[in-house]
């Protein structure tokens, strides 16, 4: 058995039996860790695997969360009805907004995605069509299904755990699939990939759509967990944090991204008394990590490829 | 008509701030190809440092001198911070993957922003309203304040000086050469490290002046104003063509006018959204900005 497989078994096994700790606060923290890990992994599909600078991913996370909250709180629909919608709508939305911009050079794409995220935040804050609830968001999501309360801490925990496993399976399959390899070639050299019959534009939009679908589903669980949504949670600072998690952890590296999420979202819970210093220390840690390990904490390994083939291609940026 | 003229005057004032800050982005981007996310936070830091300096010296020396000292000291402090930033956060990453430098810049931005919050607290700070004379003039029904005139004049003087420096001095030639090709510039005997340090000094000084203008014009500052102004100035830089110095100036004023007109005629709560929609439309149709050069793109 490969070391990485053993690592995953230990990690997932630990998460599976984690609730024996039976401390509601820690169960909430680890639930949040699972949900944010899923979002970070979905950002990584766009940023790490397709190589597109995406700093607006909170849009899709937010869409999933707001669709759930709007359907439930405004229209009184059962939250289960939202599940297909929180996958399909963010994916469609991603296709619509990414199609005109995926050809942009790295930094310009980054700024365009920031732009979309800020427009999204303003739409939420301005209470568009009276649906989004303005700056305060939407309260009172009722996750009562077939005699079950989905928002019980333990139920949410196992839902989030299942979603994390599902996401890991999707990503492992993506790595082994034609689409995953195509994404890798597109990132390395779009021109060469086109000459072997890969359509870079198609695969870039595909990466956005897949990332958005996963983030949307994570948004659904986020709403269930907190029974409320507010614009701040899906603002552009959230996107910046996810962007940083992927790069600090290591692009296209699952252990790296899980570690990045742990550092950004769980460590602050452990060191709560330093709350005001939190982002100051983060900022310092981001600079320090990048100077020490420019490829991230756990950079992805590419089998036995020679080093010059795995280096970051400066021109694609 | 009066409203239109008034909004144009306001737009030119905001545009001056955007143009000054945008120059810092554009010069760093021109040479390092790096979005210096911390630049906006340097601007915010400048507003706070300026306030502290002014409070220390106000009343002890005549008003005009106090303002001049406030500008000089703040500009020096921000220039030093800019150089330290370059040395510690960006220089070690010059040969690293480009995204690493972007993350380092984001980290620097968080550090400065939260450093400001830790030192001066999270609440809004008020600028004294009598730093400059509060004279106002009314011309054709348009109100123009003394602060606005000073801002416009100083901005134009600084931009003219920068243009002359870049175009007609030996060091300016070195900067332009480094922007085109750093390796070739090194072969020609140009000290590229020195060029980059000077660029950070120039950008920080212009940003510092922008930060003081924000304090004096809006009269209230908060620790997180950097992101807002930084992003707007960055849009201005892209609007004009990032890396292109006259482009950033034009972009700054265009964006200022656009923002003022949207706030005046459409809605101020949606102004930011309109700004970013403008940005996205420009990126789609003219990815290198209004005055930017067309570059051959792969795919």
């Amino acid at each position: 058995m490969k070391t990485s497989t053993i690592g995953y078994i230990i990690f997932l096994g630990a998460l599976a039996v984690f609730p024996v700790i039976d401390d509601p606060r820690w169960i909430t923290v680890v639930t949040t860790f699972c949900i944010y890990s899923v979002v970070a992994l979905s950002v990584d599909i766009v940023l790490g695997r397709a190589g597109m600078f995406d700093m607006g991913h909170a849009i899709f996370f937010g869409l999933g969360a707001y669709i759930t909250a709007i359907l439930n709180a405004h229209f009184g629909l059962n939250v289960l009805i939202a599940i297909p919608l929180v996958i399909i709508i963010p994916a469609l939305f991603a296709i619509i907004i990414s199609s005109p911009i995926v050809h942009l050079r790295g930094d310009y794409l980054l700024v365009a995605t920031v732009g979309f995220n800020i427009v999204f935040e303003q739409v939420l804050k301005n209470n568009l069509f009276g649906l989004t609830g303005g700056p305060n968001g939407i309260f009172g999501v009722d996750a009562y299904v077939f005699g079950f309360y989905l928002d019980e801490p333990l139920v949410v925990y196992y839902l989030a755990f299942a979603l994390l496993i599902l996401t890991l399976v999707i990503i492992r399959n993506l790595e082994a699939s034609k689409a995953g390899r195509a994404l890798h070639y597109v990132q390395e050299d779009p021109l060469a990939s086109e000459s072997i019959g890969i359509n870079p534009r198609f695969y870039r939009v595909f990466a956005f759509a897949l990332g958005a679908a996963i983030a949307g589903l994570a948004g659904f669980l986020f709403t269930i967990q907190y029974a409320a949504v507010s614009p701040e949670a899906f603002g552009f600072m959230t996107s910046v944090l996810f962007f940083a998690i992927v790069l600090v952890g290591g692009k296209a590296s699952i252990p790296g991204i899980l570690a990045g999420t742990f550092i950004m979202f769980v460590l602050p819970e452990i060191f709560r008394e330093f709350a005001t210093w939190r982002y100051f220390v983060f900022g310092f840690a981001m600079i320090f990590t990048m100077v020490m390990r420019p490829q991230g904490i756990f950079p992805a390994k590419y089998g036995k490829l020679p080093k010059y083939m795995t280096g970051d291609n400066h021109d694609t940026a | 008509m009066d409203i239109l003229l008034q909004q144009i005057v306001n737009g030119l004032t905001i545009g001056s701030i955007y143009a000054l800050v945008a120059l810092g982005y554009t010069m760093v981007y021109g040479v390092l190809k790096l979005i210096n996310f911390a630049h906006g936070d340097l601007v915010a830091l400048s507003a706070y440092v300026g306030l502290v300096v002014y409070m220390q010296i106000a009343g002890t020396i005549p008003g005009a001198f106090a303002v001049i000292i406030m500008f000089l000291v703040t500009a020096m402090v921000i220039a030093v911070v800019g150089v330290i930033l370059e040395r510690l956060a960006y220089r070690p990453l010059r040969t690293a993957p480009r995204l690493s430098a972007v993350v380092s810049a984001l980290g620097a931005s968080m550090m400065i922003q939260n450093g400001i919050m830790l030192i001066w607290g999270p609440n809004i700070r008020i600028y004294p309203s009598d730093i400059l004379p509060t004279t106002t003039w009314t011309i054709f029904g348009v109100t123009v304040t003394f602060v606005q005139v000073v801002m416009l004049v100083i901005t134009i003087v600084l931009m003219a000086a920068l243009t002359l420096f870049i175009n007609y001095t030996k060091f300016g030639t070195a900067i332009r050469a480094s922007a085109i090709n750093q390796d070739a510039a090194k072969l020609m005997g140009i000290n590229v490290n020195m060029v980059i340090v000077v660029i950070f000094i120039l950008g920080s000084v212009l940003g510092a002046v922008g930060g003081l203008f924000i304090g004096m014009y809006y009269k209230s500052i908060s620790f997180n104003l950097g992101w807002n102004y930084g992003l707007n100035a960055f849009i201005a830089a892209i609007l004009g063509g990032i890396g292109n110095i006259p482009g950033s100036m034009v972009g700054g004023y265009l964006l200022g006018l656009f923002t003022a007109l949207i706030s005046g005629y459409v809605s101020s709560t949606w102004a930011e959204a309109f700004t970013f929609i403008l940005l996205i439309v420009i990126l789609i149709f003219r990815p290198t900005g209004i005055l930017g050069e067309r570059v051959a793109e792969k795919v």
Side-chain angles (χ1 to χ4, degrees):
Chain A
M1 217 189 274
K2 284 197 297 184
T3 340
S4 63
T5 320
I6 299 170
Y8 284 121
I9 291 171
I10 294 173
F11 171 72
L12 293 176
L15 279 184
V17 299
F18 177 78
V20 296
I21 285 184
D22 198 24
D23 177 339
R25 187 189 141 207
W26 283 104
I27 288 178
T28 310
V29 169
V30 181
T31 308
T32 311
F33 167 75
C34 289
I35 294 177
Y36 281 145
S37 294
V38 170
V39 183
L41 289 166
S42 77
V43 174
D44 183 54
I45 292 174
V46 185
L47 175 61
R49 290 164 203 276
M52 291 180 291
F53 299 5
D54 172 15
M55 217 188 253
H57 211 78
I59 298 174
F60 311 120
F61 185 36
L63 267 178
Y66 265 87
I67 290 167
T68 313
I70 288 171
L71 288 181
N72 184 272
H74 285 309
F75 299 105
L77 295 172
N78 191 315
V79 285
L80 290 182
I81 294 170
I83 291 181
L85 296 177
V86 299
I87 299 171
I88 295 166
I89 295 177
L92 284 179
F93 197 72
I95 293 171
I96 293 167
I97 66 169
S98 71
S99 301
I101 58 169
V102 284
H103 66 284
L104 293 173
R105 279 190 297 158
D107 297 329
Y108 293 86
L109 180 66
L110 186 150
V111 176
T113 52
V114 169
F116 278 121
N117 205 155
I118 287 178
V119 174
F120 179 69
E121 211 179 332
Q122 288 244 306
V123 168
L124 296 182
K125 280 187 180 159
N126 281 303
N127 201 1
L128 191 74
F129 308 128
L131 283 176
T132 61
N136 298 324
I138 302 170
F139 290 92
V141 176
D142 172 27
Y144 185 71
V145 183
F146 305 134
F148 272 109
Y149 279 105
L150 290 185
D151 53 355
E152 290 286 335
L154 264 185
V155 180
V156 184
Y157 176 78
Y158 278 108
L159 285 175
F161 179 56
L163 179 63
L164 179 62
I165 293 180
L166 175 71
T167 311
L168 290 175
V169 170
I170 290 174
I171 285 177
R172 291 311 284 261
N173 278 332
L174 179 72
E175 274 173 1
S177 70
K178 184 185 167 218
R181 278 176 287 137
L183 282 179
H184 188 67
Y185 300 143
V186 170
Q187 175 177 13
E188 289 295 320
D189 191 335
L191 202 61
S193 69
E194 211 169 2
S195 71
I196 55 170
I198 294 168
N199 180 350
R201 206 172 174 126
F202 171 81
Y203 279 104
R204 284 173 174 167
V205 174
F206 163 78
F208 260 104
L210 180 62
I214 296 173
L217 198 53
F220 167 80
L221 265 189
F222 184 87
T223 308
I224 302 290
Q225 189 190 358
Y226 291 102
V229 286
S230 73
E232 276 75 36
F234 314 108
F236 124 88
M237 274 320 285
T238 310
S239 294
V240 172
L241 275 183
F242 282 117
F243 186 87
I245 285 176
V246 170
L247 293 169
V248 168
K251 276 171 33 170
S253 143
I254 294 171
I257 286 153
L258 294 175
T261 315
F262 179 82
I263 293 168
M264 288 294 205
F265 288 109
V266 182
L267 279 192
E269 281 298 321
I270 300 174
F271 297 107
R272 254 196 180 169
E273 50 270 47
F274 300 109
T276 48
W277 283 81
R278 173 178 168 186
Y279 286 108
F280 184 80
V281 176
F282 273 177
F284 179 77
M286 275 156 77
I287 300 175
F288 186 75
T289 318
M290 284 298 113
V291 171
M292 290 295 141
R293 289 184 76 85
Q295 305 278 6
I297 300 171
F298 291 109
K301 293 193 187 73
Y302 294 99
K304 286 181 179 151
L305 285 180
K307 208 174 177 194
Y308 64 86
M309 288 180 74
T310 57
D312 222 79
N313 189 339
H314 286 246
D315 293 330
T316 52
Chain B
M1 190 62 193
D2 289 354
I3 301 170
L4 178 68
L5 283 176
Q6 186 68 58
Q7 291 303 338
I8 288 176
V9 170
N10 295 347
L12 287 176
T13 317
I14 312 168
S16 300
I17 299 172
Y18 290 160
L20 285 172
V21 182
L23 283 168
Y25 281 107
T26 224
M27 284 191 291
V28 170
Y29 194 90
V31 175
L32 285 180
K33 300 284 175 285
L34 163 75
I35 305 177
N36 179 10
F37 277 107
H39 189 58
D41 298 290
L42 283 185
V43 172
L45 182 64
S46 149
Y48 277 88
V49 171
L51 183 61
V52 169
V53 172
Y54 185 79
M55 291 320 231
Q56 288 294 319
I57 57 177
T60 57
I61 42 176
F65 287 111
V67 175
I68 291 170
I69 290 173
M70 169 189 176
F71 270 82
L72 290 179
V73 172
T74 309
M76 272 192 283
V77 171
I78 302 302
V80 169
V81 177
V83 171
I84 293 174
L85 196 66
E86 193 274 329
R87 187 70 190 79
L88 296 182
Y90 303 151
R91 192 178 295 185
L93 288 166
R94 233 178 260 167
T95 53
R98 288 192 46 205
L99 276 175
S100 314
V102 171
V103 175
S104 189
L106 286 171
S109 162
M110 273 192 188
M111 247 181 107
I112 299 175
Q113 191 183 108
N114 289 280
I116 295 174
M117 194 190 75
L118 289 169
I119 298 172
W120 287 289
N123 298 326
I124 287 175
R125 302 295 290 257
I126 305 296
Y127 254 64
S129 53
D130 58 347
I131 296 183
L132 288 175
T134 48
T135 326
T136 57
W137 297 280
T138 308
I139 312 160
F140 304 121
V142 179
T143 314
V144 183
T145 64
F146 187 74
V147 179
Q148 286 178 317
V149 175
V150 169
M151 283 167 70
L152 202 59
V153 171
I154 293 185
T155 306
I156 288 169
V157 168
L158 284 178
M159 291 198 303
L162 182 74
T163 312
L164 293 176
F165 177 75
I166 299 278
N167 285 327
Y168 297 104
T169 63
K170 212 172 164 188
F171 209 93
T173 314
I175 292 177
R176 282 181 287 141
S178 309
I180 295 167
N181 187 333
Q182 281 189 33
D183 293 328
K186 266 181 208 152
L187 294 176
M188 293 294 112
I190 292 170
N191 183 346
V192 174
N193 275 338
M194 196 62 202
V195 166
I196 291 169
V197 168
V198 169
I199 277 173
F200 270 86
I201 292 175
L202 289 176
S204 305
V205 167
L206 294 172
V209 175
L212 294 176
F213 283 169
I214 291 170
M216 289 179 354
Y217 185 60
Y218 292 103
K219 305 212 169 51
S220 72
I221 52 175
S222 62
F223 74 99
N224 55 5
L225 68 87
W227 265 107
N228 191 7
Y229 283 91
L231 272 177
N232 275 302
F234 190 72
I235 293 177
I238 287 186
L239 207 62
I242 190 155
N244 179 319
I245 287 173
S248 300
M249 302 175 191
V250 174
Y253 281 109
L254 282 181
L255 185 68
L257 289 172
F258 180 80
T259 316
L261 293 176
I262 291 284
S263 311
Y265 285 100
V266 187
S267 150
S268 57
T269 50
W270 284 97
E272 209 180 354
F274 275 102
T275 316
F276 281 94
I277 291 168
L278 172 78
L279 166 84
I280 292 162
V281 169
I282 285 179
L283 281 176
I284 291 171
F285 291 105
R286 202 167 161 79
T288 50
I290 296 167
L291 297 184
E293 290 150 35
R294 304 294 292 177
V295 283
E297 293 210 28
K298 294 197 297 181
V299 184

